[in-house]
Amino acid sequence: SQTIHQWPATLVQPVGSPLSLECTVEGTSNPNLYWYRQAAGRGLQLLFYSVGIGQISSEVPQNLSASRPQDRQFILSSKKLLLSDSGFYLCAWVTGSGGYTFGSGTRLTVV
Amino acid sequence: GDSVTQMEGPVTLSEEAFLTINCTYTATGYPSLFWYVQYPGEGLQLLLKATKADDKGSNKGFEATYRKETTSFHLEKGSVQVSDSAVYFCALSDKSRYSTLTFGKGTMLLVSP
């Protein structure tokens, strides 16, 4: 079956610390993968998407970066977190029918 | 660029009331349209979708019709339940940009017994 795993579920990090969020998918190959962020009181914002290994498209210039070291692995990173990086981060992939499957999300609080 | 506008909430209803959440969009081309639901503390789940004009998506008693002439995709349900309390997101998918989704800001629905 096709599943998506995202971890950790919650994270509290101090300002200036690094970040690494991981997302992996199972049961598919060469998926399109996405990172979205939901900030408090705002909708979902597309951060990055990838259509293949090593390929990253960035939608919004910011303090974050993404990498895709393997076909089914998508990593969101930051070298130094800002308070404004707090939010709910969601990984997603697109199924053959064009629908999205979202991970369970990571709630990041930067303090 | 593409955009989605949905009514601001919260929408507060009593159980068994009729629900409408308005959604309009701006897009070039012919996007697919979606409604996603987010229950408290959880990620997003696809509720329904429509891929072309006049298509009606439906699931769990919810319906929405893709109206190209009014660029709308309003969500409706005839009789809401307490368990429908959640945040609802309207979204469109741009096939020309690798199916990236553009979301509305979300509408919180609160249903009381």
Side-chain angles (χ1 to χ4, degrees):
Chain A
S1 63
Q2 299 165 335
T3 56
I4 182 168
H5 301 281
Q6 190 179 341
W7 67 92
T10 59
L11 194 58
V12 180
Q13 292 285 100
V15 168
S17 63
L19 172 74
S20 181
L21 303 180
E22 188 162 345
C23 171
T24 60
V25 297
E26 295 179 359
T28 185
S29 60
N30 197 31
N32 287 358
L33 297 173
Y34 308 80
W35 278 111
Y36 286 85
R37 176 173 63 195
Q38 184 179 23
R42 302 176 64 179
L44 284 105
Q45 179 185 39
L46 175 65
L47 301 177
F48 303 95
Y49 66 94
S50 171
V51 300
I53 296 174
Q55 188 281 330
I56 305 294
S57 294
S58 175
E59 287 292 299
V60 182
Q62 59 207 321
N63 187 42
L64 302 169
S65 62
S67 62
R68 187 165 176 180
Q70 300 180 41
D71 181 43
R72 288 170 283 181
Q73 184 184 31
F74 202 26
I75 298 172
L76 183 70
S77 304
S78 174
K79 292 182 179 177
K80 290 185 178 182
L81 284 170
L82 306 172
L83 287 173
S84 58
D85 292 324
S86 294
F88 191 49
Y89 290 81
L90 289 160
C91 179
W93 67 284
V94 174
T95 66
S97 63
Y100 268 54
T101 297
F102 284 87
S104 55
T106 297
R107 188 162 301 283
L108 171 66
T109 304
V110 182
V111 296
Chain B
D2 297 346
S3 66
V4 175
T5 302
Q6 54 182 115
M7 59 191 293
E8 292 190 18
V11 173
T12 304
L13 295 173
S14 298
E15 205 164 26
E16 299 184 2
F18 184 86
L19 168 71
T20 299
I21 300 178
N22 290 337
C23 171
T24 57
Y25 68 90
T26 302
T28 55
Y30 304 95
S32 295
L33 301 175
F34 305 85
W35 277 101
Y36 283 86
V37 59
Q38 183 178 31
Y39 297 102
E42 299 184 12
L44 270 70
Q45 302 175 26
L46 177 64
L47 182 59
L48 53 85
K49 68 176 183 180
T51 58
K52 61 183 187 297
D54 299 325
D55 268 1
K56 176 184 283 188
S58 61
N59 186 25
K60 300 181 180 180
F62 290 89
E63 292 183 340
T65 301
Y66 190 143
R67 301 287 189 198
K68 188 170 184 295
E69 64 276 13
T70 55
T71 61
S72 65
F73 193 54
H74 304 322
L75 182 68
E76 297 182 335
K77 186 175 185 182
S79 176
V80 294
Q81 306 299 313
V82 172
S83 57
D84 293 327
S85 298
V87 180
Y88 292 82
F89 291 91
C90 185
L92 67 83
S93 172
D94 184 348
K95 301 181 188 68
S96 67
R97 289 176 65 238
Y98 300 101
S99 299
T100 55
L101 281 174
T102 300
F103 286 89
K105 292 187 176 181
T107 302
M108 178 178 288
L109 171 65
L110 300 171
V111 181
S112 57

